[in-house]
């Protein structure tokens, strides 16, 4: 098999893997929003497998580029693609791969923001319950806000 064909095969496998990863990350977002812990745990394991596969495929792609004396950089890959007979197919596949990778990264960052938001909410709730956050306001029996540190009630009276 010619190097260009090998690269095309690897790029297609990477594209398929990133589509799978995007699906996992999308389902992970829904599970995070629903606080569905068992589903999140399963999806994290799936995501880790997909990321490991992606790392292996990227390494294979890098190896082909380096075997042909091109740098292991995006520019080196593009120069290698330019010298292949199937350059149009490879160029289109690489553009698609780049777009999918960006989409996966952005979706994963959105999941991270959701996790951070939920952590802040949980920490705030715990602070109120433990009265550890002197700045958090709670409602008094008169329906007015007061600081948790001021005349705080015990958990048994809340």
């Amino acid at each position: 098999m010619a190097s260009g064909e090998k690269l095309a095969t690897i790029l297609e496998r990477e594209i398929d893997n990133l589509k799978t990863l995007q699906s996992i990350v999308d389902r992970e977002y829904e599970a995070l929003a629903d606080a569905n812990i068992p589903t999140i745990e399963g999806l994290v394991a799936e995501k880790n497998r997909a990321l490991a596969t992606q790392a292996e495929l990227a390494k294979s792609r890098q190896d082909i580029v380096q075997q042909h004396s091109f740098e292991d950089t995006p520019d080196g890959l593009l120069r290698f693609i330019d010298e292949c007979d199937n350059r149009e197919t490879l160029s289109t596949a690489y553009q698609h791969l780049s777009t999918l990778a960006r989409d996966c990264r952005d979706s994963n960052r959105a999941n991270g923001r959701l996790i951070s938001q939920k952590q802040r909410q949980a920490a705030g709730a715990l602070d109120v319950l433990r009265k550890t956050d002197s700045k958090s306001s709670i409602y008094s029996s008169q329906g007015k806000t007061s600081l948790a540190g001021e005349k705080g009630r015990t958990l048994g009276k809340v």
Side-chain angles (χ1 to χ4, degrees), residues 105-121:
R105 180 199 63 207
D106 293 346
S107 295
N108 197 55
R109 285 181 179 169
N111 289 3
R113 286 189 298 273
L114 181 58
I115 290 168
S116 294
Q117 176 187 20
K118 294 223 175 244
Q119 285 175 328
R120 285 190 304 275
Q121 290 171 345

Side-chain angles (χ1 to χ4, degrees), residues 17-77:
N17 189 63
L18 285 181
K19 287 177 181 177
T20 299
L21 182 60
Q22 183 65 52
S23 172
I24 293 166
V25 173
D26 290 346
R27 290 181 294 152
E28 182 184 49
Y29 186 88
E30 293 171 17
L32 288 167
D34 294 341
N36 186 336
I37 302 304
T39 300
I40 293 168
E41 289 171 345
L43 290 170
V44 167
E46 278 185 61
K47 183 166 73 170
N48 287 336
R49 284 190 298 274
L51 289 170
T53 298
Q54 190 61 35
E56 290 171 13
L57 291 167
K59 175 75 170 103
S60 296
R61 176 175 27 95
Q62 293 164 352
D63 289 346
I64 288 176
V65 171
Q66 288 177 330
Q67 287 169 2
H68 290 84
S69 301
F70 290 93
E71 294 177 17
D72 178 21
T73 63
D75 286 339
L77 175 60

